[in-house]
């Protein structure tokens, strides 16, 4: 199962997303759930870097199957908020389609 955790800052804005594990919907290289989640995750991180004034810290721990990013700007732009909301919308769509057997989303 793949777990996605979103964290809010003190202003109540989602600034961090962390992904752990694998969906295990299918064999590695054939797993459309993991592929969809990865595409949304990487596109959001890249879009925030390229399309907003915000700074992003991206990390990956292959041995622990953990990856994530956080917006490290002191003030998060409206555009970055919109992109994070879009990521949440997309991941919720995948969770609704494939169920909590493959993906669980946690909000903090």
């Amino acid at each position: 199962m793949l777990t996605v955790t979103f964290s809010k800052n003190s202003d109540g804005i989602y600034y961090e997303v962390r992904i752990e594990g694998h969906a295990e919907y299918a064999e590695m290289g054939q797993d459309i759930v993991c592929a969809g989640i990865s595409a949304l995750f990487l596109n959001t991180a890249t879009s925030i870097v390229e399309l907003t004034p915000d700074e992003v810290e991206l990390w990956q721990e292959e041995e622990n199957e953990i990856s994530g990013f956080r917006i490290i700007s002191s003030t998060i732009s409206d555009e970055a908020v919109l992109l994070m909301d879009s990521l949440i919308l997309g991941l919720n769509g995948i969770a609704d389609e494939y169920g909590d057997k493959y993906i669980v989303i946690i909000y903090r």
Side-chain angles (χ1 to χ4, degrees):
M1 176 187 340
L2 194 142
T3 302
V4 180
T5 304
F6 286 95
S7 298
K8 288 183 179 181
N9 64 15
S10 60
D11 295 325
I13 295 171
Y14 289 110
Y15 78 101
E16 181 179 88
V17 60
R18 176 183 170 110
I19 299 175
E20 296 181 60
H22 289 285
E24 299 178 9
Y25 179 78
E27 293 180 33
M28 293 288 274
Q30 303 295 317
D31 194 325
I32 61 173
V33 175
C34 273
I37 291 167
S38 294
L40 289 172
F41 170 82
L42 290 173
N43 185 68
T44 301
T46 302
S47 294
I48 292 171
V49 168
E50 297 292 327
L51 302 174
T52 76
D54 300 271
E55 293 182 54
V56 171
E57 178 181 77
L58 184 67
W59 71 88
Q60 183 172 9
E61 300 173 19
E62 289 185 31
E63 65 280 356
N64 298 322
E65 300 179 340
I66 299 171
S67 57
F69 71 84
R70 72 176 55 91
I71 302 168
I72 58 173
S73 304
S74 58
T75 303
I76 298 176
S77 70
D78 291 341
E79 295 87 355
V81 170
L82 180 63
L83 289 166
M84 288 293 279
D85 288 346
S86 179
L87 175 60
I88 291 168
L89 182 68
L91 292 176
N92 277 319
I94 292 172
D96 290 346
E97 182 70 25
Y98 294 95
D100 61 5
K101 180 177 178 183
Y102 302 108
I103 177 175
V104 171
I105 303 174
I106 299 168
Y107 300 96
R108 297 185 188 182

